[in-house]
Amino acid sequence: MSHEHNHGAGAPTNRLWFAFGVTATVMIVEVIGAIVTSSLAVLVDLGHVLTDLLGLGMALLAAKLATRQANKQRTWGWARAEVLAAAMQAIILIGVGVYAVAEAIRRFIIPPEIEGTGLLLVGIVGLLGNIASLIVLSGAREHNLNMRAAFLEVLNDALGSVAVIASAIIISTTGWHQADSIASLIIAALIVPRAIVILRSAGRILMEFTPKDLDLDEVRKHLLSLEHVVDVHDMHASTIGTGQTTFSAHIILSDECFAHGHGLDVLLNAEECLREHHGVSLTHTTLQLEPEGFRHSQEDVVHK
C-alpha cells in the first residue's frame, strides 16, 4: 500500500537568475582581464566562472523541469534533473582544476610578465560580484543538491577572487610573478575537493544507494517491535531527488492479525514509525503485508 505525495517543488529561480546575471558580468570582466594581464589565475578563475555560468544555467533548467507534473511515462516527473545538473557541474569543475594544476606548474618554471594593477582591478570586481551572488543564494543553499552546488561554486569563485587580489598585490609590490601560479594552484585546490563531494553525493542518488543518514538495520528493528509483526524482508531505500526518499518492504504478520482484521492498524503504525523515528523521514513508502508462510509458498511457485 502506498500514499501519493507532491514529488518536489521548484528551486527559487529568482535567486538563480540574479546570480546568473552577476556571474555573466564577472565573466565579461575576466575575459578582458585575462587578455590584458596575461594572468593564469584570472584565466583559471575565468574557466571557473564560465563553469558557474553553465552550472547556473543548468540549475535554472533543472528547476524548471523539476516543477513538471508526473505522468504515466515519468512517474517521478523530472525530480532527478537537479541531480544530473549537479553531477555535470562537478565533472566540469574537476576538469578545470586539473588544467589549472598542469598550467600553473609550467608557468612557475617559466613565469610570464603579469600586469599587476589590471590584475588587482579584475580581482576586486570579481569579489564584489561573488559577494552579491552569495548573499542572494545563501538563503536557498539547503533547498536541494543543485542549489547547494551553485552556492559552493560561487563561494569558490569568491575565494578565488581573494587569491587573485593577493597575487596582484604581491606582483605589484615585489615583482615576483610566480605568485600568479601560486594563486592558480590555490584556486584549483578550492575547486577540486568540493567538486568531488558534489559528484559523490549525486552518484549516491543516481546509483540508488541507501540514504546516508538511514540505518536499515534500525528500521527493521523498529518495524519488528510493532504488534503482530513477525518478520520484515526485502527492504529497499533510495533517493529520487532532494527530500524525496523512497522505502519499500514486505512485512509478515501473524495469522491472527489477518483473522481479526488488524492489518490496517499495523500499516498505520508502520508508516508513522517510518515517518517519525529515523534520521530520514520516509514518506514515499510501499509496504506489502503478508501472512506467515506466504514467502515460502511464493518461493515454491518460483522454483516450480
Side-chain angles (χ1 to χ4, degrees), residues 210-211 214 216 233-238 246-250 284 286:
T210 300
L214 183 65
L216 285 185
H233 64 95
D234 286 340
M235 292 191 302
H236 300 280
S238 62
T246 66
F247 176 85
S248 65
H250 293 224
H284 296 282
T286 302

Side-chain angles (χ1 to χ4, degrees), residues 30-103:
E30 291 202 349
V31 166
I32 297 171
I35 295 172
V36 172
T37 65
S38 300
S39 167
L40 176 62
V42 172
L43 184 62
V44 172
D45 201 45
L46 174 60
H48 193 187
V49 171
L50 178 59
T51 305
D52 284 353
L53 198 62
L54 293 172
L56 289 168
M58 288 189 288
L60 285 164
L61 178 61
K64 177 67 175 176
L65 291 175
T67 62
R68 292 188 176 183
Q69 295 297 314
N71 55 41
K72 290 184 293 185
Q73 285 72 40
R74 301 179 183 88
T75 56
W76 287 101
W78 293 82
R80 280 195 172 161
E82 51 117 339
V83 181
L84 290 170
M88 292 174 67
Q89 288 173 250
I91 291 170
I92 294 172
L93 283 173
I94 291 171
V96 171
V98 171
Y99 167 78
V101 172
E103 184 65 11

Side-chain angles (χ1 to χ4, degrees), residues 211-223:
K212 192 174 181 180
D213 297 326
L214 183 65
D215 186 339
L216 285 185
D217 289 334
E218 282 298 312
V219 173
R220 186 173 187 274
K221 181 179 177 181
H222 272 259
L223 291 175

Side-chain angles (χ1 to χ4, degrees), residues 173-278:
T173 56
T174 68
W176 192 57
H177 293 276
Q178 283 91 338
D180 182 62
S181 296
I182 298 297
S184 302
L185 290 173
I186 292 173
I187 295 171
L190 294 171
I191 291 174
V192 175
R194 287 176 173 81
I196 291 173
V197 169
I198 293 293
L199 187 59
R200 287 181 62 185
S201 297
R204 287 185 62 87
I205 293 174
L206 295 174
M207 293 297 292
E208 299 196 5
F209 290 174
T210 300
K212 192 174 181 180
D213 297 326
L214 183 65
D215 186 339
L216 285 185
D217 289 334
E218 282 298 312
V219 173
R220 186 173 187 274
K221 181 179 177 181
H222 272 259
L223 291 175
L224 284 172
S225 69
L226 298 177
E227 189 177 5
H228 303 299
V229 175
V230 176
D231 195 10
V232 179
H233 64 95
D234 286 340
M235 292 191 302
H236 300 280
S238 62
T239 304
I240 301 300
T242 300
Q244 297 172 251
T245 302
T246 66
F247 176 85
S248 65
H250 293 224
I251 300 177
I252 298 177
L253 305 181
S254 61
D255 291 335
E256 67 175 19
C257 177
F258 283 98
H260 294 90
H262 295 312
L264 180 58
D265 292 334
V266 173
L267 180 63
L268 293 175
N269 290 334
E271 290 197 335
E272 181 184 1
C273 170
L274 294 170
R275 283 195 306 271
E276 306 294 339
H277 296 162
H278 307 285

Side-chain angles (χ1 to χ4, degrees), residues 123-137:
I124 291 172
V125 171
L127 181 60
L128 292 176
N130 296 146
I131 289 173
S133 294
L134 282 173
I135 292 172
V136 171
L137 291 174

Side-chain angles (χ1 to χ4, degrees), residues 98-151:
V98 171
Y99 167 78
V101 172
E103 184 65 11
I105 293 172
R106 188 186 71 81
R107 288 196 176 202
F108 192 85
I109 298 171
I110 309 175
E113 289 292 323
I114 307 296
E115 205 285 296
T117 303
L119 184 61
L120 180 62
L121 291 174
V122 171
I124 291 172
V125 171
L127 181 60
L128 292 176
N130 296 146
I131 289 173
S133 294
L134 282 173
I135 292 172
V136 171
L137 291 174
S138 61
R141 65 181 182 274
E142 298 304 324
H143 188 84
N144 58 34
L145 184 62
N146 203 26
M147 289 298 295
R148 189 153 62 250
F151 177 83

